[in-house]
Amino acid sequence: MSARAALPPRAHDPALHELLVKTIKGLTMDAVQKANSGHPGMPMGTADMASTLWSGFLVHDPAQPRWPDRDRFVLSAGHGSMLLYSLLHLHGYDLPMEQLQQFRQLGSRTPGHPEVDHTPGVEVTTGPLGSGFAAGVGLALGERLLAARYNRPGHEIVDHLTYGIVSDGDLMEGIASEAASLAGHLGLGKLVYLYDANRITIDGSTDVSFTEDVAARFTAYGWHVAEVDGHDPEAIAAALEVARAELSAPSLIVCRTTIGQGAPTKAGKSSSHGSPLGAAEVEGAKRAMGWPLEPTFYVPDELRAGLEARRGALTELRQDWDRRFAAYEAEHPELAAQLRAAWADELPEVAMAALDALRFEAGTAVATRKVGAKVLAALVEPLPSLVGGSADLAGSNGVDIPALGWQSREQPGGRGIHFGVREHGMAGVCNGLALHGGLRPFDATFLIFSDFMRGALRLSALMRLPVVHVLSHDSIFLGEDGPTHQPIEQCMSLRLVPHLHVVRPADANETVGAWIHALQRKRGDGPTAILVSRQDLPVLEHGRRDVSRGAYVLWEPAKVAVADLHAIVIATGSEVSLALEAAHRLHEVGLPLRVVSMPCWEAFEAQDQAYRDEVLPPSITRRISVEAGVTVGWGRWASHHVGIDDFGASAPAEVLAEHFGLTPEALIERIRALP
Amino acid sequence: MSARAALPPRAHDPALHELLVKTIKGLTMDAVQKANSGHPGMPMGTADMASTLWSGFLVHDPAQPRWPDRDRFVLSAGHGSMLLYSLLHLHGYDLPMEQLQQFRQLGSRTPGHPEVDHTPGVEVTTGPLGSGFAAGVGLALGERLLAARYNRPGHEIVDHLTYGIVSDGDLMEGIASEAASLAGHLGLGKLVYLYDANRITIDGSTDVSFTEDVAARFTAYGWHVAEVDGHDPEAIAAALEVARAELSAPSLIVCRTTIGQGAPTKAGKSSSHGSPLGAAEVEGAKRAMGWPLEPTFYVPDELRAGLEARRGALTELRQDWDRRFAAYEAEHPELAAQLRAAWADELPEVAMAALDALRFEAGTAVATRKVGAKVLAALVEPLPSLVGGSADLAGSNGVDIPALGWQSREQPGGRGIHFGVREHGMAGVCNGLALHGGLRPFDATFLIFSDFMRGALRLSALMRLPVVHVLSHDSIFLGEDGPTHQPIEQCMSLRLVPHLHVVRPADANETVGAWIHALQRKRGDGPTAILVSRQDLPVLEHGRRDVSRGAYVLWEPAKVAVADLHAIVIATGSEVSLALEAAHRLHEVGLPLRVVSMPCWEAFEAQDQAYRDEVLPPSITRRISVEAGVTVGWGRWASHHVGIDDFGASAPAEVLAEHFGLTPEALIERIRALP
């Protein structure tokens, strides 16, 4: 029993449908032509599909684009952005005609590919193929999870669908395969994708590279699959009816379409895909569909009127939800308050208190990945929005938290997710969970396999989503698994991603701090990668819990003036205790060093100059960085570097420490030899 | 009609099979126990499958592990390395017992995961799941391609199979999905994978994350699929017979197995996967299979004798091939010479001459991606080993070379490959093509999507394969497609990968040089990424073709002493002409600058100190780097940096240049303000 029984009025009006389709085509051709750049083929080929969906199925309120219970629409084939911009404009989102006319111009709300939190009504930043597909799976999973946790009898306050349009290109990408397999496994019944099967890619016909039986593949994943003529609105609508009623499996509606439909010579050809059609082709297309050549960006009044008439019904649905949520709030005030806090990405005080209680005493030793497990266990109750899991390394990554409940068909409210060996899909799904709202997702794998999820991880940074990426086994010190598993360049490489905070904590207390830092970041800030060790690390005597300033003076000999320091040693993660030991020993022989722990470059960079100069006084230019990874990049902070600029090796950790010169003895030698 | 009609004698001897299986299990348990680290479950569960394959099907010669026409065996589930090491040892490869006893120790030939060119008989470095699967597709494609090109009637000198063992984890990975779809599309009939369907992953039963119908999925890809009891050697052999006879489709033989088979309490459980079984469990397993507890690493004499007896037949097959190749060489000396040169990764003189003829005159302008197309076109004839393509961006990347012939079922000798929108699979397949020998593969996509192929790209570097990665649209100057498509951190991030050379040429001539540099690297050196522009770049007056020294002085005012230089401007790619214009203008107003073009950091780092000091005199510390990407890392060469440390934006290129301060005016201002 779904509130979705209430739907906006269907476009029984074929004339209105036709007008909408033609207008989308016209706007698309004109915008691409004016920008002299863009992708006309996809919007023209999918105008029928999209119009059918938006006219009769999609529940949304253009006046309140962030209404929590709206249906989500994902344009996975993001290059078809003019389709989405046309729909948003025509349906009354805050995207006026001037914006369409500024398609692909600096500062406009109509960039080349759709960008969430930039254009009202855009749910996901798409463009890299397959990524939107995975994000949609996350959106649908988020809905199911919140519905299971928050709905109460008579109060279905979370109850919406996730729709999307996906392309041949999307379905060739591995990330989509991974997410599709997971969605089928979980049985995400409220996920409905229209597949724009135009059989054209940039290189030409899909015959040249993509001849698999997509329908059979998705059936094998456990999806409900239908196939229709993608230019027959009644057939599409009928398939959508069936799909949205199928609650035990996600749906793929294969829509056979013609790319660039309506273009006189380029329809059905890859030449309509990624370039302006050209004035003659546009003219031909407009003439053929009985459209005025002038003005460009033409929108018939009767279309505006027709769509306006329907908007009332959508507003009523949203208002009805407002009333229903008020009733829910009256009856379940605590749940409602929880949800509101979660929607706002708030870190509840009880959660902070739970983390505050996690303290580790110097003199003990613990692997920082295991600290992560303690952090998560402490958050299960006080942070109800917490959700996530690992790509089949839950125990190893320190994210095996049975108390979260394992997400499954039988336990749709489970907040622990077995993602399977699907790193890229995992990160893409987590983006969707974060985009949904009301959830604080984390994913986890070995640091080395951040390489596998880099596409989606970058999108989490570009969308500024507060996803937490837990990356364990953060150096060669994982030992015997060898060079295929030993990160060398990964830590530095993640630091290069804008808006991603990379935290490599030195010990247990810094690890708790890393989580606090990560959870205090909100939507609009960005994701955090927490790099944790496989091996035990000593709990540092003066180690801090607060990593929010990025770096701090961990130790230096008492009563030594800054001017008398021989050098500063800057280290991260497991190398901090190494640096400390070297510094202690050198202190014994009269060589005073300052040891700086620098768990988070990005946070340190955000400090004012005074603090940065306090930690790294400009007068001390003899500085040595110590990190078990590439040294390129460390020139930002240090003049000399200890690191590893080649691949690792398979051996026990202590043997590797000797081999790669990461022992106190070797470090002491380097420091003594500093020019 | 396949030479594979000649096969080694099948293990009709069930007793010998049983001995081999038990010995593999014993060696595995003992090695993992001794190393106190490793993965016993997989080798124990797949010993039946592997023994059947190796005893009756695999054509190889342990005395000549690089015999070009050997069958390839890929252990995609590389964590089961003791399976492979046991097989190699027992079959007589140069992997003595002392090496097995040094499993996972520094410098041994038995590292945690198999490493090609480190251990004789290991064909692919595996471990990151899915990667071996994709490499195997490349190996099979390489065989087909070379067979089509070089075999002549009566001379089937290229005719072998590619076998592999793949796991649940492999088949969950997106890269495997991509490669599987491509292999099915191409109909690679000589690819035969045994799928170790043990239904166990690290997180537990596959029920928690992986319930799709794998057989149906592979059928949908166009594979031949069979299903057998993975502990029934006769059933496995029968399925292998059918699979190797099926020449129009790749084969997946689903083998239902028990992980850790033989372990008394851990068999069938994830606890047997990734840790030593423990002394008691090992003892129980040995007792149950009637195996001596001592000595450890026990190999029965009758097994050695039995396998030795079979080796003669294998040697004969290889000797027969030697004779057949000699006959081929006599009849087709030119083809044979071509093949020999290709096996040696030689760059023929005619190829160098063809590249030498490609010269571009200053005063013109050309997009460096288009230069790549000219380079490839020039190499079609003189470099017959050249093979490659794009992930559906052939035209955009400058690799649309019809003269290569498009690879397909109908044209199995085609050297141009439509990889489809499958970046990760593409890079994995190219690794396999390079591993096969006799081929010089290149792949291509937008630089931004190097993120999608990073896992396989790293493996090309770890394996030191001379794959050429063509990465176009190398900066924000691709323009309107916006931040999802604009690389920012990618160039620097690739520089961090050991043994990967990253070349970002400044103009057309440097682009030719980049290709020469890439093609002069051989197996054992490593891959090259060539980063090329979407936009036209002026051909530089003093631009060099030789980039092999990594950096050079492009321009400085005549008759200015080094000591009088105001600063050095170091730039790469499209920013070199920008730097040059700024320098010219500043020269006019009396500020002398040296402009250094630095297309390849890694090559420059390999120069002697004298050359490096000549280009970048240590006395000139005022140096400014100019590159349209992140500035982190440039501290290695410069004191000040012009770059982009945030995501890009959607707008025409010239607008972006203004917006991001990458104009001559902005650069002049920065240089004037240098402290």
Side-chain angles (χ1 to χ4, degrees):
Chain A
M1 277 317 306
S2 164
R4 291 298 98 129
L7 278 172
R10 279 275 305 288
H12 287 300
D13 182 348
L16 199 65
H17 174 87
E18 206 181 308
L19 266 191
L20 179 52
V21 167
K22 288 179 177 177
T23 305
I24 290 170
K25 290 179 176 175
L27 290 174
T28 295
M29 289 189 287
D30 289 341
V32 172
Q33 206 65 19
K34 180 160 191 280
N36 196 27
S37 167
H39 299 79
M42 188 276 185
M44 296 174 77
T46 58
D48 275 307
M49 293 153 58
S51 297
T52 306
L53 174 64
W54 280 61
S55 298
F57 294 86
L58 197 72
V59 175
H60 60 129
D61 182 357
Q64 294 207 4
R66 288 289 190 91
W67 169 29
D69 203 38
R70 71 194 180 278
D71 286 345
R72 268 62 168 181
F73 174 74
V74 180
L75 186 74
S76 188
H79 55 272
S81 54
M82 268 311 298
L83 173 71
L84 184 51
Y85 299 148
S86 301
L87 288 164
L88 292 172
H89 168 74
L90 296 170
H91 285 81
Y93 282 82
D94 183 14
L95 193 67
M97 182 56 86
E98 305 87 79
Q99 290 292 332
L100 299 197
Q101 291 168 342
Q102 288 293 307
F103 182 51
R104 297 186 151 228
Q105 303 309 305
L106 190 67
S108 79
R109 287 190 211 150
T110 50
H113 292 82
E115 298 177 22
V116 67
D117 294 343
H118 178 79
T119 309
V122 170
E123 299 283 1
V124 190
T125 297
T126 52
L129 290 170
S131 306
F133 186 112
V137 171
L139 288 168
L141 177 55
E143 191 272 348
R144 169 157 107 173
L145 217 153
L146 291 174
R149 298 190 72 81
Y150 289 102
N151 288 349
R152 288 296 179 271
H155 295 284
E156 304 235 319
I157 48 121
V158 182
D159 183 15
H160 56 264
L161 278 94
T162 300
Y163 295 102
I165 295 186
V166 303
S167 64
D168 289 301
D170 285 305
L171 300 190
M172 280 192 257
E173 288 283 5
I175 183 175
S177 299
E178 293 177 12
S181 177
L182 184 64
H185 166 76
L186 293 173
L188 299 179
K190 286 171 155 183
L191 179 65
V192 177
Y193 281 160
L194 295 165
Y195 163 31
D196 173 24
N198 61 33
R199 301 195 52 73
I200 290 293
T201 71
I202 295 176
D203 278 0
S205 161
T206 52
D207 289 347
V208 305
S209 63
F210 188 49
T211 50
E212 62 171 58
D213 182 341
V214 174
R217 170 155 70 103
F218 274 75
T219 302
Y221 290 141
W223 286 52
H224 160 72
V225 179
E227 192 164 349
V228 299
D229 174 350
H231 298 295
D232 177 347
E234 283 310 310
I236 298 165
L240 281 168
E241 288 283 8
V242 175
R244 66 176 205 88
E246 171 56 70
L247 290 176
S248 67
S251 293
L252 186 76
I253 303 174
V254 182
C255 302
R256 293 183 306 273
T257 60
T258 301
I259 191 171
Q261 203 215 34
T265 73
K266 295 186 177 177
K269 295 182 187 159
S270 63
S271 56
S272 74
H273 166 78
S275 321
L277 294 178
E281 189 82 1
V282 171
E283 187 178 326
K286 286 186 178 177
R287 282 192 202 285
M289 69 182 187
W291 213 242
L293 301 183
E294 295 288 339
T296 55
F297 294 93
Y298 172 66
V299 179
D301 289 339
E302 57 273 42
L303 177 65
R304 289 211 187 274
L307 292 176
E308 182 65 35
R310 289 205 202 141
R311 272 189 66 184
L314 289 168
T315 307
E316 270 171 35
L317 283 173
R318 199 262 307 152
Q319 286 169 339
D320 175 59
W321 183 88
D322 286 349
R323 283 186 294 271
R324 290 190 289 115
F325 190 78
Y328 174 76
E329 194 153 32
E331 201 161 329
H332 304 284
E334 281 179 26
L335 290 176
Q338 253 187 33
L339 253 182
R340 284 191 187 277
W343 286 335
D345 281 343
E346 277 170 22
L347 185 59
E349 277 177 34
V350 282
M352 273 299 286
L355 294 178
D356 209 48
L358 276 181
R359 290 178 181 274
F360 296 83
E361 295 307 317
T364 59
V366 55
T368 49
R369 63 184 170 132
K370 294 185 181 162
V371 177
K374 287 182 195 291
V375 165
L376 289 171
L379 290 173
V380 171
E381 287 304 319
L383 188 62
S385 59
L386 186 73
V387 53
S390 163
D392 196 43
L393 293 165
S396 297
N397 300 145
V399 302
D400 186 0
I401 314 295
L404 283 173
W406 291 111
Q407 172 64 218
S408 69
R409 288 168 189 266
E410 296 72 32
Q411 194 174 193
R415 292 185 286 153
I417 303 172
H418 286 299
F419 285 104
V421 190
R422 305 182 181 103
E423 296 82 7
H424 204 185
M426 169 175 71
V429 168
C430 281
N431 287 346
L433 290 168
L435 287 165
H436 185 278
L439 296 164
R440 291 297 308 240
F442 65 89
D443 55 32
T445 184
F446 289 159
L447 174 55
I448 192 74
F449 299 132
S450 64
D451 277 3
F452 276 50
M453 58 195 239
R454 210 168 156 94
L457 187 148
R458 183 183 208 252
L459 281 170
S460 73
L462 181 58
M463 292 190 273
R464 306 256 199 132
L465 301 175
V467 176
V468 184
H469 302 289
V470 178
L471 301 166
S472 78
H473 294 57
D474 70 337
S475 75
I476 56 155
F477 293 120
L478 62 85
E480 292 89 342
D481 274 347
T484 55
H485 283 57
Q486 287 163 340
I488 294 291
E489 70 277 26
Q490 282 65 27
C491 174
M492 189 62 71
S493 159
L494 290 172
R495 288 191 185 117
L496 305 181
V497 181
H499 305 292
L500 171 66
H501 280 205
V502 179
V503 190
R504 187 166 185 250
D507 76 347
N509 288 312
E510 279 193 13
T511 306
V512 179
W515 274 96
I516 294 172
H517 183 73
L519 294 173
Q520 283 177 334
R521 301 192 83 201
K522 299 186 175 197
R523 186 159 174 172
D525 294 330
T528 306
I530 302 180
L531 278 48
V532 284
S533 71
R534 177 189 186 218
Q535 76 275 25
D536 281 350
L537 299 183
V539 178
L540 302 171
E541 195 157 355
H542 303 286
R544 294 191 191 166
R545 162 195 305 275
D546 181 6
V547 304
S548 66
R549 308 198 79 173
Y552 62 93
V553 179
L554 174 67
W555 181 85
E556 63 192 355
K559 295 177 195 159
V560 169
V562 162
D564 295 330
L565 288 171
H566 175 69
I568 299 178
V569 189
I570 311 169
T572 74
S574 47
E575 286 68 69
V576 173
S577 45
L578 169 66
L580 200 59
E581 187 170 341
H584 285 160
R585 290 209 221 161
L586 284 168
H587 173 52
E588 284 166 20
V589 298
L591 209 62
L593 298 167
R594 168 180 286 192
V595 178
V596 167
S597 177
M598 191 183 272
C600 181
W601 282 30
E602 298 79 12
F604 188 60
E605 278 161 9
Q607 302 306 305
D608 58 25
Q609 190 68 43
Y611 179 75
R612 281 186 281 152
D613 288 351
E614 192 186 312
V615 176
L616 300 177
S619 59
I620 312 187
T621 53
R622 195 188 291 122
R623 303 175 188 173
I624 185 163
S625 64
V626 192
E627 186 173 76
V630 292
T631 58
V632 172
W634 271 107
R636 174 148 298 199
W637 309 112
S639 53
H640 298 80
H641 315 298
V642 170
I644 307 174
D645 287 306
D646 203 342
F647 292 113
S650 170
E654 57 281 8
V655 176
L656 293 173
E658 285 286 343
H659 182 70
F660 287 103
L662 290 168
T663 58
E665 295 72 26
L667 182 54
I668 285 168
E669 202 171 313
R670 273 297 301 275
I671 292 171
R672 279 183 174 281
L674 282 180
Chain B
M1 273 317 304
S2 166
R4 291 298 98 127
L7 276 173
R10 276 277 305 288
H12 286 301
D13 182 347
L16 199 66
H17 174 86
E18 207 182 310
L19 267 191
L20 180 52
V21 167
K22 288 179 178 176
T23 304
I24 290 169
K25 289 179 178 177
L27 290 174
T28 295
M29 288 189 287
D30 290 341
V32 172
Q33 205 65 19
K34 181 160 190 279
N36 194 29
S37 167
H39 299 79
M42 188 278 185
M44 297 174 76
T46 58
D48 276 307
M49 291 152 58
S51 298
T52 306
L53 175 65
W54 280 61
S55 298
F57 294 86
L58 198 72
V59 175
H60 60 130
D61 182 357
Q64 294 208 4
R66 288 289 190 91
W67 170 28
D69 203 39
R70 70 195 180 277
D71 287 343
R72 269 60 168 181
F73 174 74
V74 180
L75 186 74
S76 187
H79 55 271
S81 54
M82 269 310 299
L83 172 71
L84 183 52
Y85 299 147
S86 302
L87 288 165
L88 293 172
H89 168 74
L90 295 169
H91 285 81
Y93 282 83
D94 183 14
L95 193 67
M97 180 57 84
E98 306 86 80
Q99 290 292 333
L100 300 196
Q101 291 167 343
Q102 288 294 306
F103 182 49
R104 295 186 152 231
Q105 304 308 307
L106 191 67
S108 79
R109 286 191 212 151
T110 49
H113 292 82
E115 297 177 23
V116 68
D117 294 342
H118 177 80
T119 309
V122 170
E123 299 283 1
V124 191
T125 297
T126 51
L129 291 170
S131 306
F133 186 111
V137 172
L139 287 168
L141 177 56
E143 191 272 348
R144 169 157 108 173
L145 217 151
L146 291 175
R149 298 190 71 82
Y150 289 101
N151 288 349
R152 289 293 178 272
H155 296 284
E156 303 234 321
I157 48 120
V158 181
D159 182 14
H160 55 265
L161 279 93
T162 299
Y163 295 102
I165 296 187
V166 303
S167 64
D168 290 302
D170 285 305
L171 300 191
M172 281 191 257
E173 288 284 6
I175 182 174
S177 298
E178 292 177 12
S181 177
L182 184 65
H185 166 75
L186 293 173
L188 299 179
K190 285 173 158 182
L191 178 65
V192 177
Y193 281 161
L194 295 165
Y195 163 32
D196 173 25
N198 61 32
R199 303 196 49 73
I200 290 292
T201 71
I202 295 176
D203 279 0
S205 160
T206 51
D207 289 345
V208 306
S209 62
F210 188 50
T211 50
E212 62 173 56
D213 183 340
V214 173
R217 170 156 70 102
F218 275 75
T219 303
Y221 290 140
W223 286 52
H224 159 72
V225 179
E227 192 164 348
V228 299
D229 174 351
H231 298 295
D232 178 347
E234 284 309 311
I236 298 165
L240 281 168
E241 288 284 8
V242 175
R244 66 175 204 89
E246 171 55 71
L247 291 175
S248 67
S251 292
L252 186 77
I253 303 175
V254 183
C255 301
R256 293 182 307 272
T257 61
T258 302
I259 190 171
Q261 203 214 35
T265 73
K266 295 185 177 176
K269 294 180 187 159
S270 63
S271 56
S272 74
H273 166 77
S275 322
L277 293 177
E281 189 82 0
V282 171
E283 188 179 324
K286 287 187 178 176
R287 281 192 201 286
M289 68 183 190
W291 212 243
L293 301 183
E294 295 288 339
T296 54
F297 294 92
Y298 172 65
V299 179
D301 289 338
E302 57 273 43
L303 177 65
R304 288 210 190 275
L307 293 175
E308 183 64 36
R310 289 206 202 139
R311 273 189 65 184
L314 289 168
T315 308
E316 272 172 33
L317 284 173
R318 197 260 309 151
Q319 287 168 339
D320 175 59
W321 183 88
D322 287 348
R323 282 186 294 271
R324 291 191 285 118
F325 190 78
Y328 173 77
E329 196 151 32
E331 200 157 331
H332 304 284
E334 281 179 28
L335 290 175
Q338 252 188 33
L339 252 181
R340 286 191 187 277
W343 286 335
D345 281 343
E346 276 169 22
L347 186 59
E349 277 175 35
V350 280
M352 273 299 287
L355 293 177
D356 209 47
L358 277 179
R359 291 181 181 272
F360 297 84
E361 294 309 316
T364 60
V366 54
T368 50
R369 62 181 170 136
K370 294 186 182 162
V371 177
K374 287 181 195 292
V375 166
L376 289 171
L379 290 172
V380 170
E381 286 304 320
L383 187 62
S385 58
L386 186 73
V387 53
S390 163
D392 195 42
L393 292 164
S396 298
N397 301 144
V399 300
D400 186 0
I401 314 295
L404 283 172
W406 291 111
Q407 171 65 218
S408 69
R409 289 169 189 264
E410 295 72 30
Q411 193 173 195
R415 292 185 285 153
I417 304 172
H418 286 300
F419 285 105
V421 190
R422 306 181 179 104
E423 295 83 6
H424 203 185
M426 168 176 70
V429 168
C430 281
N431 288 345
L433 289 168
L435 286 164
H436 185 279
L439 296 164
R440 292 296 310 238
F442 66 88
D443 55 31
T445 183
F446 289 160
L447 174 55
I448 192 73
F449 300 132
S450 64
D451 277 3
F452 275 49
M453 59 194 239
R454 210 168 156 94
L457 186 147
R458 185 185 205 252
L459 282 169
S460 73
L462 181 58
M463 293 190 273
R464 306 254 198 135
L465 301 175
V467 177
V468 184
H469 303 288
V470 178
L471 302 165
S472 78
H473 294 58
D474 71 338
S475 74
I476 56 156
F477 294 119
L478 62 87
E480 292 90 343
D481 273 348
T484 55
H485 284 56
Q486 287 163 341
I488 294 293
E489 70 277 28
Q490 281 66 27
C491 174
M492 188 63 70
S493 160
L494 291 172
R495 289 191 184 118
L496 305 181
V497 181
H499 305 292
L500 171 67
H501 281 205
V502 179
V503 191
R504 186 166 186 252
D507 75 348
N509 289 312
E510 280 193 14
T511 306
V512 179
W515 274 97
I516 294 171
H517 182 72
L519 294 173
Q520 284 178 333
R521 301 192 83 201
K522 297 188 175 196
R523 185 159 174 172
D525 294 329
T528 306
I530 303 181
L531 278 49
V532 284
S533 70
R534 177 189 187 217
Q535 75 276 23
D536 281 349
L537 299 183
V539 178
L540 301 170
E541 194 157 355
H542 303 284
R544 294 191 192 166
R545 161 195 307 273
D546 180 6
V547 304
S548 66
R549 307 198 80 171
Y552 63 94
V553 179
L554 173 68
W555 181 85
E556 63 191 355
K559 297 179 196 161
V560 170
V562 162
D564 295 329
L565 287 171
H566 175 68
I568 299 177
V569 189
I570 310 169
T572 75
S574 46
E575 286 68 68
V576 172
S577 45
L578 169 66
L580 199 60
E581 185 168 345
H584 284 159
R585 288 210 222 160
L586 283 167
H587 173 51
E588 286 167 19
V589 297
L591 210 61
L593 297 168
R594 168 179 288 191
V595 178
V596 168
S597 178
M598 190 183 272
C600 180
W601 282 30
E602 299 79 14
F604 187 59
E605 279 161 9
Q607 301 309 304
D608 58 26
Q609 190 69 43
Y611 180 75
R612 281 186 282 151
D613 288 352
E614 192 186 312
V615 177
L616 299 176
S619 60
I620 312 188
T621 54
R622 195 188 291 122
R623 303 176 187 171
I624 185 164
S625 64
V626 191
E627 185 173 77
V630 292
T631 58
V632 172
W634 272 107
R636 174 148 299 198
W637 308 112
S639 54
H640 298 81
H641 315 297
V642 169
I644 307 174
D645 287 307
D646 203 343
F647 292 112
S650 170
E654 58 280 10
V655 176
L656 293 173
E658 286 284 344
H659 182 70
F660 287 103
L662 290 168
T663 58
E665 295 71 27
L667 182 55
I668 286 168
E669 202 171 314
R670 272 298 300 277
I671 292 171
R672 280 182 173 283
L674 283 181

